Amino acid sequence: MSGWLAIVGLGPGAEVMVTPEVSTTLAEATDVVGYQPYVERVAPRPGLVHHGSDNREELQRAQAALGLAAAGRRVAVVSSGDPGVFAMASAIFEAVEAGDPAWRSLDIRVLPGISAMLAASARVGAPLGHDFCCINLSDNLKPWPLIERRLRLAAEADFAMAFYNPRSRARPEGFARVLEVLREACGTQRLIVFARAVSTAQEAVHVTCLGEARPEMADMRTLVIVGSSRTRRIERNDATPLVYTPRSAS
């Protein structure tokens, strides 16, 4: 087959956070496939076709992209952040496994990007500097009891935690319950970081503790980081505090 499919990460928002490898691949692509707002981040040019779709159409999007590549097109499937972190890489491989056997012979590449959790962590210092876990708080693809179980186990293991998709208009009550669970498991003084739209003009970063955290501090563009019991806060004059987790657990 002459076509190829690249699953690429566009980073958290700023153009400077798109890797050179991804930029080169986008320049060679004939088709860009993805969730409409992410597709719109790729500048139009002659010979490039945009295929934007709704956020809940991952598998159909993956199948369409594979069909284009099988037909000889050079296809870039775009995600924000890193494509392997709650994004399109997994959907592509799910479609490959269940779909046309010919798709297994396609040239398929995954090109990493800067994830939202790494960009958010960097903004405040190094809260993910020791062992951490990453949890998607959306219950679209997994039940709430599983999310709550993982929250409690992560707290018991004393991981720092990074949370994606904390609070949407469709399920505003979910993040309120998350905060309740975390306060029960970690206490009220545990550090929490709300990092919204990092690297964009809408960026807003707030450091507080679980006792002061409120559900409305987060939305779907917010990456939330909760520290471990060892995570530290360094106050600074007229600047966002520095937050870090020591590398030693002894």
Coordinates of all heavy atoms in Angstrom, one line a residue, residues 6 67 99 167 180 248:
A6 N -0.3 8.5 10.2 CA 0.4 8.9 11.3 C -0.6 9.5 12.4 O -1.4 10.3 12.1 CB 1.4 10.0 10.9
G67 N -9.3 3.7 6.2 CA -9.8 3.6 4.9 C -9.1 4.5 3.9 O -8.8 4.1 2.8
G99 N -10.9 -4.7 12.4 CA -11.3 -4.3 11.0 C -10.7 -5.2 9.9 O -10.3 -6.3 10.1
R167 N -14.5 18.0 34.6 CA -15.9 18.5 34.9 C -16.5 19.0 33.6 O -15.9 20.0 33.0 CB -15.8 19.6 35.9 CG -17.2 20.1 36.4 CD -17.0 21.0 37.6 NE -18.3 21.5 38.1 CZ -18.8 22.7 37.7 NH1 -18.2 23.5 36.9 NH2 -20.0 23.0 38.3
E180 N -14.8 15.0 47.1 CA -15.2 14.4 48.4 C -14.4 13.2 48.7 O -13.9 13.0 49.8 CB -16.7 14.0 48.3 CG -17.6 15.2 48.3 CD -19.1 14.8 48.1 OE1 -19.3 13.5 48.1 OE2 -20.0 15.6 47.9
S248 N 13.0 11.4 46.4 CA 13.2 10.3 47.4 C 11.9 10.1 48.2 O 11.2 11.0 48.6 CB 14.3 10.7 48.3 OG 14.4 9.8 49.4

